[in-house]
Amino acid sequence: MNVSAADEFVATLNAWSRSGNDALLIRALRSPYSRVPHDTAAAYATLAERAGPLLDAIFASRLALPADERDVVLRFAERVKSLGEDSDIRALFEIAEPPRIKEDPAELRLGHAVDADTQTGVRARQGHFSASSLNAYADCARKWYYRYVCSAVEDPGSSASTYGTAFHAALEDFHGEYPHPEPQHEPAMRVRIVGDVNWAFERYRADFDTAVEVELHKRRAQRTAQRYIDWIVAESKRAPFTVFGREASTELDLAGFPFVGYIDRLDRDDATGAVSIFDYKTGSIATSAAEYIDDVRKFADFQLPFYYWARTAAGDRVTKLALIPLKDALLDVRPVALEVVPVATPQAKRSSSPTGTIGIADLERARSRMIEICRELTSGQRTSFPVASDPEACTFCAYKNSCRDRPLSEREKFGR
Ligand code: SF4
């Protein structure tokens, strides 16, 4: 932890105590100086961004956490609540003062080199896992190490991630009003979603860098939202459904490893009672069912398998898993949808169809691999975390500047 990060933490809390802006408090919570474990801070940040003031969520213990983590979060909340105009934030959070350098250069002497530390294994400090933490590990083990062990760099997010957060919030509000979309409601739904998108982007306005960005992203979301209505109207004609879960908090115990997550949307088919799980995607995703199944089989993506096992354990009969692409306003919303079947129908790897089948055996293999990874990460045996082999993985990585061994793209190699 460096001095500037501590200064930033203090400045953020000072700004929060003057303005009461929850976004600032969330930023402070995610700083290593809050002492709140990274995963827990991220989960509370997501909850607060979607459901209201952070302190209320913490004091109401809205997340089920192990006792020691709950105590740390409550301590953070009590400390910030006690902040007044003259509070010494460094003392309150027990942040050491930066060492003073003596002004007389003659007093500076070179010391003896210390012996290198003995290399020991690293153990995951996570109280619970998530599909996204395992996806990060599958993407790049070094990235997982930076994010979940070191918590060294705060990921400030980007306008693309704020676009995603705001769009998710708009759809959550929309389906609160329209849990049972019907074709005759189409005009009203089109009007309603315009209001939901506007309101969601107002709520997250402060997280964009500029007013122009807010406007451009909002316009893109408005166009995409109308395409989303096209799709749900067509779906409601084909097979009426009821949305019974929005940003549904989900927990699962896998061989003693606790997992948590949020499911964007859960539908029940009105005729059969079968459950479909939907994940909204505002970034780049697999463009075909074959591509997504390949990711699951390569253990590169655990999101939908995790949701499948979590909802199955909760008693649902899950028959469909789908990713809903919401990135491109120029394209129709065409989900990548997998029907869950006992044995998957063979599908050509190059097939561009957005629909396909996934076998229970594939989902079981994904579950076994999740358990294996958790064992690896908690064994304390791992002494190294290799970098990604594909430079693509580094494009938006928050740890790029600290990652000396990262693979270089052809352009970077040429530039050296
Ligand atoms: S910069 Fe690349 S190699 Fe380094 S941690 Fe990030 S993704 Fe991994």
Side-chain angles (χ1 to χ4, degrees):
M1 290 189 244
N2 58 39
V3 176
S4 62
D7 289 343
E8 195 183 321
F9 175 71
V10 172
T12 305
L13 278 181
N14 270 325
W16 170 76
S17 66
R18 285 194 301 274
S19 68
N21 180 343
D22 220 34
L24 293 167
L25 190 56
I26 290 170
R27 190 180 305 162
L29 174 77
R30 302 194 67 165
S31 160
Y33 289 96
S34 73
R35 316 285 178 206
V36 176
H38 179 280
D39 249 20
T40 308
Y44 260 117
T46 308
L47 182 67
E49 280 163 359
R50 291 174 186 175
L54 177 63
L55 286 183
D56 290 356
I58 294 176
F59 284 124
S61 292
R62 295 274 304 279
L63 290 181
L65 296 172
D68 53 339
E69 284 184 34
R70 194 185 55 234
D71 291 349
V72 176
V73 186
L74 280 172
R75 199 172 319 131
F76 168 81
E78 272 153 13
R79 282 170 167 172
V80 296
K81 206 173 163 205
S82 72
L83 283 181
E85 259 183 29
D86 304 323
S87 298
D88 181 344
I89 294 175
R90 280 184 178 275
L92 190 63
F93 282 85
E94 296 162 22
I95 300 170
E97 286 294 334
R100 292 188 185 285
I101 296 179
K102 297 198 174 166
E103 284 178 6
D104 181 358
E107 292 196 20
L108 292 175
R109 301 269 184 276
L110 290 179
H112 294 291
V114 292
D115 294 334
D117 288 345
T118 319
Q119 200 170 21
T120 56
V122 168
R123 189 188 300 275
R125 290 188 287 130
Q126 294 172 268
H128 49 254
F129 288 88
S130 63
S132 28
S133 72
L134 298 200
N135 283 355
Y137 182 71
D139 198 26
C140 171
R142 185 73 57 89
K143 178 156 63 180
W144 179 88
Y145 170 74
Y146 282 144
R147 183 175 300 165
Y148 296 98
V149 179
C150 305
S151 300
V153 183
E154 188 191 344
D155 185 347
S158 61
S159 61
S161 61
T162 307
Y163 167 82
T165 307
F167 209 153
H168 277 67
L171 293 182
E172 185 184 1
D173 291 348
F174 172 77
H175 283 298
E177 183 66 21
Y178 286 101
H180 190 258
E182 290 179 37
Q184 68 268 29
H185 296 150
E186 182 178 343
M189 288 194 293
R190 291 195 184 279
V191 173
R192 171 76 198 199
I193 206 158
V194 170
D196 288 331
V197 169
N198 282 339
W199 170 228
F201 278 78
E202 273 317 301
R203 267 150 68 196
Y204 292 98
R205 174 174 282 277
D207 293 349
F208 287 98
D209 286 337
T210 63
V212 173
E213 268 189 352
V214 181
E215 208 44 50
L216 290 176
H217 282 293
K218 189 164 67 179
R219 286 184 191 185
R220 173 157 68 108
Q222 289 292 13
R223 288 196 298 270
T224 312
Q226 293 302 322
R227 291 183 182 269
Y228 180 81
I229 299 290
D230 295 343
W231 170 63
I232 58 168
V233 167
E235 281 297 288
S236 63
K237 282 181 190 158
R238 189 187 61 79
F241 60 89
T242 303
V243 177
F244 72 97
R246 299 169 291 127
E247 302 296 333
S249 167
T250 305
E251 291 170 14
L252 177 67
D253 184 283
L254 281 184
F257 297 106
F259 274 75
V260 294
Y262 293 90
I263 299 180
D264 292 335
R265 195 180 117 191
L266 286 165
D267 289 8
R268 200 182 301 285
D269 184 288
D270 289 353
T272 65
V275 168
S276 299
I277 293 174
F278 293 97
D279 199 32
Y280 302 140
K281 292 291 183 194
T282 51
S284 302
I285 56 166
T287 53
S288 67
E291 192 183 336
Y292 186 72
I293 292 170
D294 194 44
D295 284 347
V296 172
R297 289 185 179 148
K298 282 190 309 203
F299 305 129
D301 194 308
F302 296 100
Q303 199 104 38
L304 292 182
F306 161 57
Y307 294 158
Y308 172 83
W309 290 113
R311 291 311 306 182
T312 301
D316 286 338
R317 182 165 60 86
V318 179
T319 59
K320 189 162 86 177
L321 305 169
L323 307 173
I324 305 184
L326 298 170
K327 183 183 176 194
D328 196 333
L330 301 176
L331 299 178
D332 287 340
V333 170
R334 204 163 154 251
V336 171
L338 303 177
E339 188 190 343
V340 181
V341 293
V343 181
T345 316
Q347 194 163 12
K349 259 196 169 181
R350 294 219 191 104
S351 161
S352 59
S353 169
T355 57
T357 58
I358 186 163
I360 300 286
D362 286 319
L363 295 166
E364 269 169 357
R365 272 194 293 275
R367 182 175 60 175
S368 302
R369 180 63 189 140
M370 288 166 81
I371 296 168
E372 238 174 66
I373 294 177
C374 293
R375 289 208 175 107
E376 257 171 61
L377 296 178
T378 52
S379 68
Q381 302 297 313
R382 284 209 68 141
T383 53
S384 69
F385 293 85
V387 294
S389 50
D390 182 356
E392 274 284 305
C394 313
T395 312
F396 299 108
C397 179
Y399 310 102
K400 207 168 166 177
N401 291 338
S402 9
C403 187
R404 198 185 54 176
D405 305 326
R406 71 183 169 86
L408 298 178
S409 65
E410 287 307 315
R411 199 159 57 96
E412 286 172 307
K413 279 185 203 162
F414 182 75
R416 287 205 156 187

